[in-house]
Amino acid sequence: VADPMTGTPTRFLAREKELDVLRRRVSDAVAGRGALLTLSGPPGVGTTRLAREAADRAGAAGMSVAWGECRAGLLDRPFGALAEAIENAALTMPRDQVLADLGTDAGPLLRICPGLAAALPTLVPAVPLEPVDERLRLGEALFGWLTRMAARTPLLVVLDEYQLADADVRAMVDYLARRLRGAPVLLLCVSSIVVKKARATKPAGVLDQIALEGLDLGATAALIGAMSDRPIMPATVDVIQAVGHGNPLLSVELYRHMVEESLLPGPGGAATLPPPTALPQSIDQVVAWRAARLPTANRAAFNVLAAFPGGAAPHVVATIAGVIKGRAVEALDGLVADGLARVNGDGTRYEIVHPQIRTALLGAMAPHLRAQLHRRVAEVLEAEAGNERRQMATELAHYWFESRSIPGRERGLGHFLLATEQARAAYAHNRAVNCLRAALDVAPQDNATRLDLTGRLALAEAAAGLRKDALASASRALELGGAGTPAHAADRASPSAEALAAVTDTLRTLADGIDADQASALDALREAALERLGADRSARSDSLPHARLSLLAETWQELDFDGVGVLAWADLQPQAAAVLSTQGTEADKAELMVLQRPRTRVETAAAAEAARAWRRPAATLRALGATASDLIGRLGMFDEGQGWASQYLATAERYGSVRDRVRALALLARCHSTRGEFAAARERIEQAEGILPGLAGAPSPSAEMLADEVTISRFAIDYFLDADWRATSKAVAAPKKPRPAGLLIGALRCIALKRSGKPAEAGALLERLLPAVTEVPPLTLYRDAALRATLTALWEIGAAEHAPTGLTLLGLARSVGVGGQVDASIDLTEARLLGMAGRLAESRAAFAAARSSATATGSLPQVALIGYDEAVILAAAGPRYYGEALNLLSAAGERFERMGMRGWSDRVSALTLFNFKEASAPGGRLFFTYPRGLSRREADVVRLSAAGARPSEVAAELEMDRNDVEGALTSALKKLRGKSLDELPQLARRHGLGGL
């Protein structure tokens, strides 16, 4: 390994402990157990040197190594060292191999690795999506690319100077660290920072944290000894160790300082060693000493090099320093001889040997001299770039920003805007924010320019997830967009179209996944914009700007139903929606198709038509998602919905939208389940579950909704195939906070509790669910599915006392066009409730309708369930129906067996092998509960009597003895707390048992 300050070979010293940790982690990664490892230490302590040693050893162990270096501020490229590392690694590989590794992920990766586009001109960059989806797509693409590369050869990715990494790089590294566990990829992040003592906990995703400390006395002696052609006195090493504390860079520089100042004892030197306090105490001080001793030309070249983290060509140094190239080369070579500079790998540039020396040199300059140096660099590089300035936009922006204290800074504005667009195109939204904030620092003070930049900044901050900053910037744009800022709001002018667009676009971006507790801040800005808009008397309430802002009033509202938390979408602006649907742009109409808006059958049809016509990817995905979700989730039209969901999935995969892909897979799984295609349903769910970990960075409640969609679809499979119901109960455990699918998850939990042998808990939960689904209106997100699942839970529990309420709710749902769900069509749900309510004839008619519909649509599991459920209703009605019930059970059992629904087959066997009377006892499948503890017979007697039947007629209908009928009436009247039979109709009506 070469000494980074001299370039000469040297032994690697005193890092056995750290190297052992690195060796173990490299071995783990080779074996497929990688992730993230951090290496940090004070500047100059040797973190980079140790990382290079680890990289060499990893290479010897069979790993490929990709190396990237972070740079400060705007000097870095989008996604910085990470993009540099993998791009450089890929460019050393054969073209066919790179294409195979990229696979279908090439599009987004070309955005951050433009070098690949030049090498592989046939590849096409990805189309734009919403900011959240762009970030997720890029993360998934990077994960896929790294794992495919590593599948061939285990991979070590080193990110040096990680302390300089921006928020985009750090977020992506955190994302990859979560995803790469179990893959042969090791991420090594190397930072030069002041390291504190070991923390109690490690950051998420980090395997190990190596904190590098100074060398011990023996290692320092060996390091200094390698620099001298004569033995080093132990006392000299003691003095250097006392000052440098084993920091290799400071120790080497102190020794050179002592040599150059003749402070070492010996011929031509000092009589005695100076005390430690007489020596420079830091890198900054020793660099200042060494720079002061340089010849004038060398010092000038040294100062110029300090402005270039990546080094500079001799002719550039000459131009900036104001000397001829030959003199500049002589000065640069002198710096190399003094150990202050080195020539880079390809021999075209000179660079300072260590970042800390460069930082110390810049820090020692007076601020105005440093600014003048950066301005001179900016002007020279602009002239050098000529027509290639676009490719150097970020570098030029850096130097213009560093010289912003000098007049004329506005001349650099164009570079900042170019750098912003490059960052945005590469999905580096945090970098775009930094570019725009810097642009505002150098921009002229005219209102139009500042409005433009502030509006752009608000949108960039929203895209980066900086919500508070985005709201503040949008508010500022609103002020800048008016004619001045008078003291009284009523006197302010209406904001300009530009300002309104900035505010509206910012609010729309922020609304993607906004939490309910953050909605008030968005609404305050929206109201402010509407107030300013209202100052213009020509602005009508049905105008597009007004409609766009008004629609944004729709938001999440937290609801709580006795511990069942729900995040409900409030659809409050039908007029605004009508304006946008007829007058709006494609972006406006796409906004109407977001998942949260309730839609009728007609609106769903309109969404489907839009999906065929629109070309904008985000709009197309929204339309397809809305159509498939409505058809499958709200309307129960699984055949038609499956076609749209397949198209939705194909489009999501083509555009690389991770969120849409998960949602489409979950919807398709539901369609497969309803047709009995359980293997295909499982495959879809497993694909979705494999993607879900990558959504950890998605905004809430968007990520929660997708996770719930997968849970709901997984439950549908479990319901048919009887999974481990205790495990399923945990999977649908009560969310810690309100969620959009809170009611539906609660209903599924109710079913799971009953199936896992906890009927009391299930019944208690049902009592809380029914009022909730009653209060939330139909067509509200997840409410209709929650109603149908609640009614299934009611059926599973046998809570016949709630059947009348269920029928009322079901009738309302049917009237607005709501359909069935995977486990029960609307007709089957109605048949169950009618049967429990004792309305046998109507129940059988509903069973017939359900059977006809399920057969026509190929819903084979439902066909079997219909037979089983009708058999339950018939057998519960009494012995006269036992024979028919047995026939239905036999047919259902055969269907269950053919489809592998073994749990249901066992239920058929249990009912067939045991006497139906035993199954009618508490806990049996034929046992239903009725109001006030009535038995089934008592409830039937009350229902018929309240309808006007005489005791003899009741006895004939129920095949009972008349005396038994009269006894049942007396018992029922007592349980219902009535005093005479005259009250029976009123009591029956009150408790949902009919009545006149």
Side-chain angles (χ1 to χ4, degrees), residues 79-344:
F79 289 97
L82 184 61
E84 176 188 338
I86 57 178
E87 181 181 77
N88 290 342
L91 291 175
T92 64
M93 301 175 186
R95 183 177 180 224
D96 290 346
Q97 188 171 297
V98 175
L99 287 171
D101 289 342
L102 287 171
T104 59
D105 294 321
L109 293 169
L110 291 180
R111 296 283 188 179
I112 69 167
C113 297
L116 294 179
L120 305 167
T122 58
L123 297 179
V124 179
V127 298
L129 294 175
E130 300 297 335
V132 171
D133 295 308
E134 288 178 340
R135 286 196 296 271
L136 292 171
R137 176 175 64 183
L138 178 60
E140 195 72 11
L142 275 169
F143 170 70
W145 192 19
L146 290 173
T147 51
R148 284 189 290 271
M149 291 172 68
R152 188 178 56 258
T153 306
L155 180 64
L156 170 65
V157 181
V158 183
L159 306 182
D160 198 14
E161 298 296 327
Y162 191 66
Q163 76 280 0
L164 301 177
D166 63 20
D168 294 310
V169 175
R170 290 180 180 274
M172 190 57 68
V173 168
D174 290 345
Y175 171 91
L176 291 173
R178 292 191 301 269
R179 299 296 309 277
L180 288 171
R181 284 191 179 274
V185 180
L186 182 63
L187 296 172
L188 176 59
C189 296
V190 185
S191 301
S192 294
I193 55 175
V194 177
V195 180
K196 299 179 181 179
K197 292 299 180 182
R199 303 169 188 162
T201 58
K202 291 185 292 189
V206 176
L207 287 170
D208 269 316
Q209 301 176 92
I210 302 176
L212 205 59
E213 299 178 349
L215 300 172
D216 61 25
L217 185 64
T220 299
L223 178 67
I224 302 304
M227 300 177 62
S228 176
D229 55 1
R230 58 181 180 176
I232 303 297
M233 295 175 56
T236 301
V237 178
D238 289 342
V239 170
I240 291 174
Q241 186 76 356
V243 177
H245 304 289
N247 184 296
L249 176 63
L250 181 54
S251 298
V252 167
E253 291 302 322
L254 282 170
Y255 178 74
R256 285 176 172 154
H257 170 73
M258 295 174 74
V259 171
E260 292 173 1
E261 290 291 310
S262 301
L263 299 178
L264 295 175
T272 59
L273 281 169
T277 55
L279 294 176
Q281 300 296 301
S282 66
I283 291 293
D284 291 359
Q285 292 179 8
V286 76
V287 167
W289 272 94
R290 294 200 66 197
R293 288 191 295 264
L294 292 173
T296 302
N298 294 24
R299 188 163 62 248
F302 196 28
N303 286 338
V304 171
L305 277 186
F308 292 91
H315 74 279
V316 173
V317 175
T319 303
I320 295 171
V323 298
I324 62 174
K325 181 179 177 182
R327 293 289 300 276
V329 170
E330 289 177 6
L332 292 167
D333 287 340
L335 294 174
V336 173
D338 289 335
L340 293 171
R342 62 187 170 206
V343 180
N344 71 347

Side-chain angles (χ1 to χ4, degrees), residues 405-687:
S405 60
I406 299 175
R409 62 188 182 184
E410 64 276 1
R411 288 185 289 140
L413 182 58
H415 302 307
F416 290 97
L417 296 180
L418 273 175
T420 299
E421 288 307 305
Q422 290 169 359
R424 187 197 57 75
Y427 324 126
H429 300 297
N430 285 287
R431 179 177 175 81
V433 168
N434 294 336
C435 290
L436 286 166
R437 288 176 178 173
L440 277 166
D441 274 348
V442 306
Q445 296 301 307
D446 66 276
N447 213 50
T449 301
R450 303 196 73 76
L451 169 59
D452 175 56
L453 291 176
T454 305
R456 294 190 194 201
L457 176 60
L459 192 53
E461 287 167 336
L466 305 173
R467 291 176 175 146
K468 290 183 179 179
D469 295 330
L471 288 170
S473 295
S475 296
R476 179 60 182 150
L478 196 60
E479 292 294 335
L480 289 169
T485 54
H488 299 289
D491 297 330
R492 297 175 183 174
S494 178
S496 65
E498 292 82 0
L500 282 175
V503 171
T504 304
D505 290 345
T506 300
L507 288 172
R508 279 182 176 176
T509 302
L510 288 175
D512 184 1
I514 192 72
D515 284 328
D517 58 358
Q518 298 171 319
S520 59
L522 271 70
D523 205 47
L525 175 60
R526 185 191 65 82
E527 288 291 345
L530 280 172
E531 180 185 352
R532 296 288 302 279
L533 185 61
D536 183 359
R537 294 182 180 179
S538 64
R540 295 165 36 183
S541 62
D542 61 350
S543 66
L544 274 176
H546 195 284
R548 287 166 178 155
L549 289 168
S550 296
L551 189 71
L552 289 165
E554 297 184 0
T555 187
W556 297 107
Q557 292 183 340
E558 288 190 8
L559 303 174
D560 184 86
F561 299 98
D562 193 17
V564 179
V566 181
L567 206 56
W569 185 255
D571 176 37
L572 306 172
Q573 305 297 327
Q575 181 182 358
V579 171
L580 294 179
S581 65
T582 56
Q583 303 176 33
T585 64
E586 184 174 309
D588 293 322
K589 294 175 182 177
E591 189 65 22
L592 297 175
M593 293 186 177
V594 294
L595 178 64
Q596 296 88 347
R597 289 190 58 78
R599 280 171 293 274
T600 64
R601 285 176 180 267
V602 173
E603 290 172 320
T604 295
E609 290 304 317
R612 293 189 177 96
W614 287 358
R615 298 178 182 273
R616 186 171 176 263
T620 300
L621 287 167
R622 281 185 168 181
L624 289 173
T627 302
S629 181
D630 282 354
L631 291 171
I632 296 166
R634 282 199 178 97
L635 307 177
M637 301 171 67
F638 295 101
D639 279 351
E640 186 178 352
Q642 182 167 350
W644 283 101
S646 297
Q647 186 178 344
Y648 181 32
L649 177 61
T651 306
E653 290 176 337
R654 182 166 72 252
Y655 293 139
S657 177
V658 180
R659 290 191 297 178
D660 289 293
R661 188 178 174 210
V662 171
R663 190 176 171 207
L665 286 167
L667 290 170
L668 277 172
R670 245 170 278 178
C671 294
H672 289 306
S673 294
T674 197
R675 299 176 66 86
E677 299 163 351
F678 300 123
R682 275 204 184 104
E683 182 181 354
R684 297 296 193 185
I685 285 298
E686 287 168 1
Q687 288 175 323

